[in-house]
Amino acid sequence: MWRQLLLYFRTHSYHADNCQAKDALQNENENEEDIKTVQQLFKPMGSERTEMRKRQMAATQETPGTAQAQHSVGNRGPNACCFCWCCCCSCSCLTVRNQEEERARRTSHELQAEGIPNCEESPAPTLEEVNAWAQSFDKLMLTPAGRNAFREFLRTEFSEENMLFWMACEELKQESNKSVIEEKARLIYEDYISILSPKEVSLDSRVREVINRNMLEPSQHTFDDAQLQIYTLMHRDSYPRFMNSAIYKDLLRSLSEKSIEA
């Protein structure tokens, strides 16, 4: 009987050990599968990084035309919409401004074609006339030769628009036809008064308010206050420098030499 009991306990112990071994083997297999699964999960991430590097290298080796096209698309131009990231739309405020600037350039060209020539026709100035220019600004502006010489000097100072505006106002005063007056007044305003014009003259707020009221019913005297202000500006600011400029001194010396030779 004792032998049977001993055999029974040994058999159960063997089965228990065998089950534990099987469980351990199964757990080991499950751990290996978990490790493989984790490796498979992390392996694609490395592949994705590799693919990303390849794409970046391919992007740097793209053709110049493609790179330029992508650069133009990636960087929004001056007309790109300022409220969204869409590059195919145009900002309305900038579009209006561009249209106004284009209109100002067009009207400037029309005004030059219709009215003011590039240079006034005048005989060559005499030595007496050139000497008289030094006496007063009024005498300089009285003759076409004096205005041409002064205008040439203003061009070197990038302020020729002052003379052009003054001359346009003088031409407006000579008109009598109402429709022509209205058209020329509009052109003068767009070319020299509008803040969008590249040839805008410097006027104070009071004079601008007067002009805006006068433009409701344009006349020959719509710009009288502005013309006087620009005339005073040229007299006080530009005229003294003109008298000391090489343009005036060279002209005076040339006429003096011709007078001595004669």
Side-chain angles (χ1 to χ4, degrees):
M1 182 176 179
W2 288 106
R3 291 179 182 179
Q4 292 178 352
L5 291 174
L6 182 62
L7 180 61
Y8 174 80
F9 283 115
R10 287 180 179 178
T11 302
H12 278 278
S13 177
Y14 173 78
H15 284 295
D17 293 338
N18 191 16
C19 291
Q20 291 179 358
K22 289 182 180 180
D23 293 338
L25 181 61
Q26 184 177 0
N27 292 334
E28 183 178 357
N29 293 334
E30 290 177 356
N31 291 334
E32 290 179 356
E33 291 178 359
D34 292 338
I35 293 173
K36 291 181 180 180
T37 302
V38 171
Q39 290 178 350
Q40 290 177 356
L41 289 174
F42 282 96
K43 185 177 180 180
M45 293 182 65
S47 300
E48 290 176 358
R49 293 193 186 96
T50 304
E51 290 295 328
M52 186 179 297
R53 293 194 191 98
K54 290 181 180 179
R55 292 173 185 174
Q56 291 176 353
M57 293 177 63
T60 57
Q61 297 176 357
E62 63 185 353
T63 59
T66 305
Q68 184 176 4
Q70 291 181 354
H71 178 74
S72 61
V73 172
N75 293 332
R76 294 182 298 168
N79 290 335
C81 183
C82 52
F83 297 107
C84 68
W85 291 99
C86 177
C87 300
C88 61
C89 61
S90 298
C91 181
S92 59
C93 57
L94 294 177
T95 302
V96 171
R97 183 178 179 86
N98 292 336
Q99 291 176 352
E100 290 292 337
E101 291 177 353
E102 180 64 25
R103 184 181 180 185
R105 288 192 293 267
R106 184 171 61 253
T107 54
S108 175
H109 177 74
E110 292 174 355
L111 180 60
Q112 289 185 356
E114 292 181 2
I116 300 172
N118 291 330
C119 186
E120 289 184 272
E121 295 182 1
S122 66
T126 63
L127 180 60
E128 291 76 12
E129 287 178 341
V130 175
N131 284 324
W133 297 349
Q135 297 176 7
S136 69
F137 183 63
D138 294 336
K139 291 183 178 180
L140 171 68
M141 296 290 288
L142 188 62
T143 62
R147 292 192 293 269
N148 286 337
F150 187 54
R151 179 178 170 183
E152 181 181 354
F153 168 75
L154 293 177
R155 188 179 297 115
T156 63
E157 291 198 336
F158 305 99
S159 58
E160 185 185 10
E161 64 275 4
N162 291 333
M163 176 63 77
L164 294 177
F165 172 69
W166 186 87
M167 294 170 63
C169 294
E170 287 294 303
E171 183 179 346
L172 179 63
K173 293 177 181 178
Q174 300 175 3
E175 294 293 342
S176 57
N177 187 288
K178 184 177 180 181
S179 60
V180 175
I181 290 174
E182 292 178 352
E183 178 64 15
K184 287 194 174 184
R186 181 183 65 82
L187 294 176
I188 292 174
Y189 185 92
E190 292 179 350
D191 215 16
Y192 301 107
I193 310 300
S194 173
I195 60 176
L196 298 178
S197 173
K199 295 192 297 183
E200 176 194 5
V201 295
S202 178
L203 300 171
D204 58 37
S205 59
R206 181 192 65 82
V207 173
R208 288 185 176 275
E209 291 177 0
V210 172
I211 293 175
N212 290 334
R213 288 196 301 267
N214 293 341
M215 286 298 293
L216 298 177
E217 294 182 3
S219 67
Q220 299 98 320
H221 305 286
T222 296
F223 304 100
D224 282 0
D225 290 350
Q227 185 185 21
L228 178 59
Q229 189 170 99
I230 295 301
Y231 187 90
T232 304
L233 176 65
M234 291 189 295
H235 182 195
R236 296 178 179 178
D237 185 60
S238 302
Y239 174 66
R241 291 198 299 273
F242 168 72
M243 299 310 302
N244 294 320
S245 67
I247 294 177
Y248 177 76
K249 292 181 178 180
D250 291 345
L251 179 60
L252 183 62
R253 182 176 62 253
S254 175
L255 292 175
S256 298
E257 292 175 354
K258 290 180 180 180
S259 177
I260 294 174
E261 293 176 357

